[in-house]
Amino acid sequence: SLFNSMNMVLDESNGNIYIVSNYSDDITKIAYNGSIIKSIPMNFTDSNSVPSPAPEIRLKDYQGKNFLFVLDPLSSSMTIVMEDSGKVVNKVQLEQGVNRIDLDEFYNKLYLINNDYLLIYDIVKTGNSIELTNLKKIKMEYPFKVIVNPINNYLYIPEFLSNRVIVIDPLNTTDSKYNAIINADNSPIDIIFDKNTNIGYIANEGSNSITPFNGTDNTPLYFVNLEIIPENAAKIECPNMTYHGNSSSY
């Protein structure tokens, strides 16, 4: 539901969580044990009780200082906050309709999505100020979200209506050249990666299914369901693996 929805980001260095929601004007900082540490006042756009998506939030560390990047989708604006003081160091008006965000700490880039484009900014720190510069735009077909693969820093963009995921190398961005295209099921909306195996899992809203794929070469992995009747009456041998009785595997 879009009512009372929220988003959060984890500070992996200490387990603290920062939460934003569409029913509060604050960023709430919560410790690993669940206690509220503090609230950072914001001024999100009032939705006038109309269902609306929650703000999105990301965190970046610069030499021991945390900066929070907060996207207000109703105003298509980005507020950058110094976490320890709560001071707003920059507020950037973005293109209309921007509603999704991800951040790449390795390449110092910020990625945003609206209904037609992937937007790429360089993140530049000067003193205590953070600037978004060198905007690049890549035409997409109804992108739903942008996700950074934590292993290789490639971008993965589910296209909701085309039932596919576009893979882009952020260092080689053009309108016509994608690194790969992954065929998904109906209406892909999100992706999560296993950092240990570099296997990605595409969530398909339209079919209530998951499409697993290899994040190294972006090839789909197919679910295998082997049924032997009666059970344990035989075994199936494949290269490097043997299945006994009824079993399932990727």
Side-chain angles (χ1 to χ4, degrees):
S1 171
L2 291 177
F3 288 102
N4 297 342
S5 61
M6 64 177 62
N7 285 305
M8 65 184 71
V9 66
L10 170 68
D11 185 344
E12 295 185 1
S13 68
N14 54 31
N16 292 332
I17 297 172
Y18 300 87
I19 297 176
V20 290
S21 71
N22 62 358
Y23 59 89
S24 172
D25 267 345
D26 296 334
I27 302 171
T28 303
K29 181 180 180 180
I30 299 178
Y32 68 93
N33 61 5
S35 61
I36 296 177
I37 300 174
K38 68 176 181 178
S39 294
I40 302 173
M42 299 289 291
N43 187 23
F44 299 125
T45 304
D46 189 354
S47 64
N48 296 319
S49 300
V50 176
S52 60
E56 296 223 348
I57 185 168
R58 295 294 185 271
L59 179 147
K60 180 170 176 57
D61 175 276
Y62 275 106
Q63 298 177 341
K65 284 187 176 293
N66 282 338
F67 290 83
L68 299 169
F69 292 71
V70 185
L71 171 66
D72 182 354
L74 291 183
S75 64
S76 298
S77 62
M78 171 72 62
T79 302
I80 306 172
V81 180
M82 187 182 298
E83 187 277 333
D84 58 358
S85 65
K87 178 183 176 181
V88 174
V89 299
N90 200 356
K91 187 167 185 176
V92 181
Q93 186 60 49
L94 305 168
E95 295 199 7
Q96 187 67 28
V98 170
N99 55 22
R100 301 287 184 176
I101 177 179
D102 209 350
L103 187 151
D104 186 339
E105 291 203 49
F106 185 78
Y107 289 136
N108 289 324
K109 292 182 181 292
L110 185 73
Y111 307 114
L112 302 151
I113 286 290
N114 63 16
N115 289 334
D116 300 300
Y117 289 95
L118 166 68
L119 311 175
I120 302 176
Y121 285 95
D122 290 336
I123 303 172
V124 179
K125 183 176 184 294
T126 304
N128 287 329
S129 178
I130 302 289
E131 304 293 333
L132 303 181
T133 66
N134 193 27
L135 172 63
K136 295 180 181 178
K137 300 170 62 176
I138 301 177
K139 179 68 174 175
M140 309 293 294
E141 295 181 16
Y142 299 101
F144 192 86
K145 196 171 186 179
V146 56
I147 302 99
V148 178
N149 183 332
I151 304 299
N152 57 24
N153 298 94
Y154 278 17
L155 309 182
Y156 289 73
I157 300 98
E159 291 188 332
F160 186 77
L161 296 183
S162 64
N163 300 329
R164 64 182 187 175
V165 173
I166 302 299
V167 185
I168 293 176
D169 179 353
L171 300 185
N172 184 17
T173 53
T174 67
D175 281 344
S176 58
K177 185 175 181 180
Y178 302 141
N179 184 266
I181 297 176
I182 304 172
N183 292 320
D185 213 335
N186 294 334
S187 306
I189 61 170
D190 204 352
I191 302 170
I192 190 169
F193 288 92
D194 185 330
K195 292 183 180 180
N196 296 318
T197 63
N198 199 17
I199 291 178
Y201 299 88
I202 304 169
N204 304 294
E205 183 180 59
S207 55
N208 292 321
S209 65
I210 300 291
T211 302
F213 65 94
N214 186 328
T216 302
D217 58 14
N218 298 305
T219 55
L221 303 175
Y222 297 96
F223 188 76
V224 178
N225 185 24
L226 304 175
E227 184 175 8
I228 300 172
I229 301 176
E231 291 188 12
N232 301 317
K235 66 179 180 179
I236 298 175
E237 294 185 357
C238 302
N240 301 321
M241 60 184 67
T242 300
Y243 297 96
H244 295 274
N246 292 335
S247 58
S248 301
S249 177
Y250 281 106

